[in-house]
Each structure stands twice: as C-alpha cells, then as structure tokens.
C-alpha cells in the first residue's frame, strides 16, 4: 500500500509542477502570437489527447517525468508563408525571453499560492523549546540552557523548529559564531547567545544543524506504547501488536519509547526477550531486530514498529495564521527565502561544502511525496511549494537544454544584436545534455544507495 501511495503522490506532485511550468510557456506564447502545436504533460506514448479550436493538441503521456510545449518554428520544419508571423523564431528577442522565462516564473507563482493558502488557513506547530544541551557543545559553551525558547537565529525571528533548521542550514560552512536569541518563558525578555562554530555542517550527510550545536528539542514524555507494526518486519514476526505497552527488555525496565529504541538500535540480529502488557495482561515475546546499514558506516537494529502518538501540552502549541493581505507578503518572503537557500545550496555543493550525496532523484522524491502525503495536507503542500521552487531554480541555471541556457543565448543576442551561431548552440546543447545526464545519473545512484 505504501508503494502505491508513493507512486500516486509523485504523479500528483510532478503532474502539478509540470502542468504549471508548461502552462507558463503556453500562456505567454499565445499572448505573443505564437502558434502552439502541442502541450504535453509527460513523454512517450500519449494516454489522452484533445485538439482545441486553435489547433493545439493537449496530451497526457505515459512517462510523467517532464513535459514540453511545441511551438511553430522554421528551424524544425518548413512553415507556409501565411503562418510565418506565428513562428517562435520570428518573434522579437524580448518576446522569446518572456516565453522561455514564463515556465520557471509559473513555478514561483505556484509556490507563492501554496504558501499563501497555508498562511491563510493557519498552521499549527510546537514552540522551539530547548530540551537538552549536550555538555561541552557550542550551545553549552554559549550558556544556552534547557527549557529556554529560541526566538531568533542570526537576528531573524523564528517560531518553529522548521524555521530554525532553515536559518541554520543557510550557514553551512560558517566559522566564527552563530547568534541565537532565547528567553526563559513567554513573559521574559530574550537574551543573546553566541555559539562558536568551525566549518559548520561541512560535508555532513545529511546535515544535522541542531545536533551539531548540541541542542535537542524538548518533547513530552513518550510512553513505550506501539502505535503501528509493519507487516513482514521483525516486530510483526515477534507477535507485537498496536496497543502493546513495552515493560522490559531482557529484564531491564523500559520507562519510555526512546529506551526501547536505544536497545533495538544497539542489538541488530540479537535475541531480545520482551515483556509487554496487552489488554491488562503481561505477555512474553521474543524479538530479533533486523539490520540496517547507515550511510555514515555501521549497523543498527530495526524492527518496523512505530510509537503511539502523544498530545503536546497546550502551552507548547503555536498557531501561525495571517489575513489574506498579510499572508501574501509572507508567502512572497518565504518563496524568496527558499529560492536563496536553494541557490546557496547549489553553490556550496559546487565548492565542496555540501556532500553531493544530498542530491535527490525520482526515487527519493517519490518516497518524500508519499511520506508527506501520509503526514497530512499541510506538510504535503509545503513539500509541493519547495519542490516547485527547486524546479524553477534548476530550470533557470545557465545550462543549455534548460530554460536558463536558452535565456542566456537570447540575452547575448539582445546585447550583440544578432543570434548566437548555430554551431555554438549545437556545441552548448551537447555540453548541456552531458551535464544534465550526469546529474540525473548521480541522483539516481544516490537514490539507490539510500535504499541499500
């Protein structure tokens, strides 16, 4: 069922992103008087098609990993004299720039609309209260203490752990001090703490912005009660069931969920004697955790079970909501911040500050889409917005075959007063295909490595 949900989620996500992107090209092309021959979502065999009164064929194709808008163009086929005014290649350079740029701009617009809807509907989060501070960590050396609520990072206000992580990740590679403002309670004034860092998060895979600083978020005590048991995994084979309360492992008492997690992770392939409480009665079971390889090396135990969710105390819950006008400003700001973060991540990957293993391909996107769909609509919409921004940014990179490569040619043409030579464009096309192909193969390779 999980695989099917992942596939459906990725089809919905990619379908929306591709449709908006290609519609941007299509809409501006039509406004500029260009005849559009085909609007395709996907590649390969057509699963559905319809031709409108303008002669544009709308297609949904079998491979949902892209799309295209095919326009009338003399460079691709002979064009009758009475249709020359509708060809893409005969439009002014500024019209061609507008048509090409419209795809990525449509993705930015989709992200703004998605964030606007979230801000208007309101999102519920938990207060970023520090749980534990690791001894001799940057947080401990700065004086940050357990129980304090973080209110800003590097002078930027924050209201959730997600916002804090985004602010911290933006400083990958930093050396010196990171500034965090925190307060003891809602009524007290914030104090400034300076956390010393050296090559912060450089080549961590994946980056752990909070743990690197020695900060563990506060969370309520989580009883060791099972909420889910995955079929075919060690927990199910041992006979564990949702609702079981774990009392002890090999005679050692289990006080809360993380006690059980620690024992399982430390004992891959080892036999564990469990005592659980089921419907008020004690039950003894034998559990043998499976093994899972870590990307950083080493092996941990895994049983395929999840904890029963617990309710957060009301004083730790925060609702973020804006009116329609204020939400628009917040949505534009969030889109801008995520765009800058994406560009900075690309730069840092190129200079070696971020490991290339963080590249994500179709398999990881499918898993993330499925996970966010299961988590809830709010998380799914946030993921959709971020992926839309990533698609826009990547398409604007000055690489031939991408929109950014075409824009580069047209801006050169605007400056020089004549088009870039066909020979130069053909060479750029080969280079661009090689670069994009290499990136796709790397992303797919890292996807498969994550599965193993």
């Amino acid at each position: 069922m999980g695989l099917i949900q992942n596939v459906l989620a990725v089809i919905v996500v990619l379908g929306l992103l591709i449709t908006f992107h290609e519609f941007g090209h299509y809409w501006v092309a039509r406004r500029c008087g260009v005849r559009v021959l085909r609007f395709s979502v996907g590649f390969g065999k057509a699963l559905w098609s319809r031709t409108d009164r303008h002669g544009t064929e709308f297609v949904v194709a079998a491979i949902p990993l892209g799309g295209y808008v095919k326009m009338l163009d003399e460079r691709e086929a002979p064009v009758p004299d009475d249709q020359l005014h509708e060809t893409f290649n005969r439009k002014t350079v500024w019209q061609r720039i507008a048509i090409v740029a419209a795809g990525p701009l449509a993705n930015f617009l989709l992200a703004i609309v998605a964030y606007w809807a979230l801000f208007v509907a309101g999102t519920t989060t938990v207060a970023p209260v520090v749980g534990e501070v690791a001894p001799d960590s940057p947080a401990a050396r700065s004086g940050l203490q357990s129980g304090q609520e973080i209110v800003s990072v590097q002078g930027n206000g924050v209201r959730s752990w997600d916002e804090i992580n985004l602010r911290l990740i933006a400083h990958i590679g930093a050396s010196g001090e990171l500034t965090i403002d925190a307060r003891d309670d809602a009524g007290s004034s914030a104090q400034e703490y300076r956390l010393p860092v050296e090559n912060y998060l450089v080549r961590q895979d994946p980056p752990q912005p909070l743990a690197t600083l020695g900060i563990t978020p506060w969370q309520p005590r989580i009883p060791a009660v099972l909420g889910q048991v995955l079929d075919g995994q060690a927990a199910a084979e041992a006979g564990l069931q949702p609702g079981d309360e774990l009392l002890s492992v090999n005679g050692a008492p289990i006080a809360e969920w993380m006690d059980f997690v620690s024992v399982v992770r430390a004992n891959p392939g080892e036999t564990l004697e469990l005592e659980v409480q089921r419907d008020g009665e004690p039950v003894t079971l034998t559990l043998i955790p499976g093994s899972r390889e870590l990307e950083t090396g080493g092996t941990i135990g895994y049983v395929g079970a999840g904890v029963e969710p617990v309710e957060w105390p009301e004083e730790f819950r925060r609702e973020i909501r804006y009116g329609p006008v204020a939400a628009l400003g917040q949505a534009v700001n969030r889109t801008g911040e995520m765009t800058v973060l994406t560009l900075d991540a690309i730069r840092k990957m190129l200079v070696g500050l971020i490991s290339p293993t963080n590249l994500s391909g179709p398999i990881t996107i499918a898993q993330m889409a499925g996970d966010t769909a299961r988590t809830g609509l709010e998380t799914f919409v946030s993921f959709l917005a971020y992926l839309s921004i990533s698609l826009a940014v990547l398409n604007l990179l000055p690489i031939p075959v991408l929109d950014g490569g075409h824009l580069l040619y047209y801006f050169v043409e605007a400056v020089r007063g004549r088009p870039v030579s066909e020979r130069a464009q053909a060479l750029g096309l080969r280079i661009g295909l090689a670069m994009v192909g290499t990136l796709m193969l790397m992303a797919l390779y890292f996807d498969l490595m994550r599965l193993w």
Side-chain angles (χ1 to χ4, degrees), residues 3-221:
L3 176 61
I4 295 175
Q5 189 168 8
N6 285 356
V7 172
L8 291 176
V10 78
I11 288 175
V12 170
V13 168
L14 292 182
L16 278 172
L17 299 184
I18 293 166
T19 300
F20 265 81
H21 182 93
E22 300 304 335
F23 184 78
H25 293 311
Y26 167 82
W27 189 84
V28 176
R30 289 294 309 275
R31 302 286 82 73
C32 291
V34 175
R35 174 174 293 193
V36 179
L37 304 178
R38 174 177 285 191
F39 182 121
S40 179
V41 176
F43 298 110
K45 183 179 179 180
L47 302 178
W48 173 90
S49 68
R50 183 182 69 84
T51 302
D52 70 2
R53 61 187 179 87
H54 301 291
T56 302
E57 181 187 17
F58 293 86
V59 176
V60 176
I63 306 174
L65 296 178
Y68 61 93
V69 170
K70 183 178 181 181
M71 291 171 269
L72 193 64
D73 196 313
E74 291 178 278
R75 297 168 298 179
E76 297 182 3
V79 176
D81 290 343
D82 62 337
Q83 296 178 11
L84 290 175
H85 66 286
E86 295 180 297
T87 58
F88 174 81
N89 62 286
R90 294 219 177 187
K91 297 302 175 181
T92 69
V93 66
W94 296 110
Q95 287 177 313
R96 281 177 276 142
I97 287 173
I99 293 169
V100 172
L105 291 178
N107 285 125
F108 284 128
L109 180 61
L110 174 60
I112 291 172
V113 171
Y115 284 133
W116 177 86
L118 287 176
F119 287 134
V120 169
T123 59
T124 301
T125 185
V126 296
V129 175
V130 178
E132 295 182 8
V133 177
D136 199 34
S137 64
R141 290 195 291 272
S142 74
L144 194 66
Q145 298 178 7
S146 174
Q148 292 183 308
E149 180 177 351
I150 298 174
V151 295
S152 77
V153 175
Q154 294 291 92
N156 297 294
V158 292
R159 288 185 289 181
S160 69
W161 287 115
D162 284 344
E163 291 183 3
I164 290 172
N165 278 314
L166 286 175
R167 297 293 183 192
L168 291 175
I169 285 177
H171 294 281
I172 289 177
S175 293
E177 293 180 332
L178 292 178
T179 302
I180 287 179
D181 291 349
R183 61 190 180 193
D184 294 328
D185 52 61
S188 64
S189 58
Q191 292 181 274
E192 183 182 273
Y193 299 89
R194 297 183 177 274
L195 286 64
V197 293
E198 183 70 28
N199 295 324
Y200 180 58
L201 302 179
V202 170
R203 299 192 69 79
Q204 281 193 17
D205 183 20
Q208 298 179 317
L210 290 171
T212 302
L213 297 176
I215 298 172
T216 300
W218 183 91
Q219 60 182 12
R221 178 183 176 276

Side-chain angles (χ1 to χ4, degrees), residues 6 12 94 114 209 273 296 302 318 366-367 384:
N6 285 356
V12 170
W94 296 110
E273 296 297 327
T296 54
Y302 173 77
R318 300 285 188 272
Q367 291 178 329
L384 174 69

Side-chain angles (χ1 to χ4, degrees), residues 296-348:
T296 54
T299 304
I300 60 171
Y302 173 77
V303 298
V307 68
E308 186 173 74
V310 298
E311 289 292 327
W312 281 74
E314 191 62 35
E315 63 268 25
F316 285 88
R317 298 167 70 89
R318 300 285 188 272
E319 184 177 50
I320 302 174
R321 186 191 300 271
Y322 298 93
V325 176
L328 179 60
Q330 291 293 325
V332 172
N333 287 338
R334 176 63 60 85
T335 301
E337 290 173 355
M338 298 304 292
T339 300
V340 172
L341 181 64
T342 303
L343 285 169
D344 194 45
I346 294 172
R347 180 187 67 82
K348 289 175 178 176

